[in-house]
Amino acid sequence: GPGRLSPALNRNIFGPQNTSIPVLLSAAMMRIHGKDSAAVFILRDLRDRIEMETRLHQTEERLAESEKMALLAELAGATAHELNQPLTSVMGYAELMRRRVDLSDPLNLKALSTIESEAQRMADIVKRIGRLTRYETKTYVGNTRIIDIAASSDPEEGDGNPAS
């Protein structure tokens, strides 16, 4: 009613050693026999609430990051598995071709070598996808960001391909 500070106000007051303390300020006038006789001020210390909200926000961010990493791991595993199936066939047929094609023809040799080297390159990429442990991105086209597979995957011992 009349004589109330409504809504309450967020303010900072100064405490010992001039420390700033966030408070919620409420106020009301006290009426005795129809006359304003006193003012009542209520200061509610908001430090614990602000700290709790900060911790909650940090926890929510960590949870979102954990969920993103779990999704990334699931997607990486499924992708590596699905790509390995056709890749194994391509590499197998390349080996068959090597045994049956006239390799004295430079065109045949170049085509087969290209198929084998590109299939091996794909196999290396699939291995890195299967080892994704982080979510690091790089700029792709324009402002588009894509996952940086090399930086996001743990290197396999002896593969000579550091993740960073």
Side-chain angles (χ1 to χ4, degrees):
R4 274 184 186 236
L5 177 61
S6 183
L9 303 174
N10 285 320
R11 293 288 186 255
N12 285 328
I13 61 172
F14 293 100
Q17 290 85 36
N18 235 8
T19 57
S20 179
I21 302 171
V23 297
L24 186 65
L25 170 64
S26 299
M29 293 298 297
M30 299 292 297
R31 296 185 67 96
I32 300 175
H33 304 296
K35 292 170 50 175
D36 290 339
S37 301
V40 175
F41 294 90
I42 300 171
L43 302 173
R44 181 174 170 204
D45 188 340
L46 297 176
R47 289 178 289 189
D48 289 341
R49 180 179 177 176
I50 291 170
E51 181 183 341
M52 181 180 63
E53 287 172 351
T54 300
R55 287 195 334 253
L56 177 61
H57 180 69
Q58 291 168 344
T59 301
E60 288 171 341
E61 286 178 348
R62 284 193 306 269
L63 179 60
E65 187 65 26
S66 294
E67 289 173 347
K68 185 180 357 177
M69 289 307 303
L71 179 61
L72 177 65
E74 290 173 14
L75 180 61
T79 301
H81 175 73
E82 292 298 324
L83 289 174
N84 266 326
Q85 302 304 314
L87 186 56
T88 300
S89 293
V90 168
M91 293 175 91
Y93 278 106
E95 180 62 30
L96 276 175
M97 286 177 64
R98 181 167 285 287
R99 294 178 187 179
R100 294 189 177 175
V101 170
D102 177 13
L103 296 179
S104 63
D105 181 347
L107 186 59
N108 286 347
L109 183 60
K110 180 166 176 39
L112 185 57
S113 294
T114 301
I115 291 169
E116 289 173 330
S117 67
E118 292 302 306
Q120 185 57 54
R121 185 172 151 227
M122 288 173 57
D124 293 341
I125 292 168
V126 169
K127 282 181 188 175
R128 283 197 305 265
I129 288 172
R131 294 191 312 263
L132 290 179
T133 57
R134 295 176 296 286
Y135 184 78
E136 296 187 33
T137 62
K138 62 183 177 181
T139 302
Y140 184 55
V141 176
N143 293 332
T144 304
R145 307 280 307 164
I146 62 171
I147 189 165
D148 185 337
I149 294 172
S152 297
S153 61
D154 285 336
E156 186 175 49
E157 285 188 36
D159 75 356
N161 187 9
S164 53

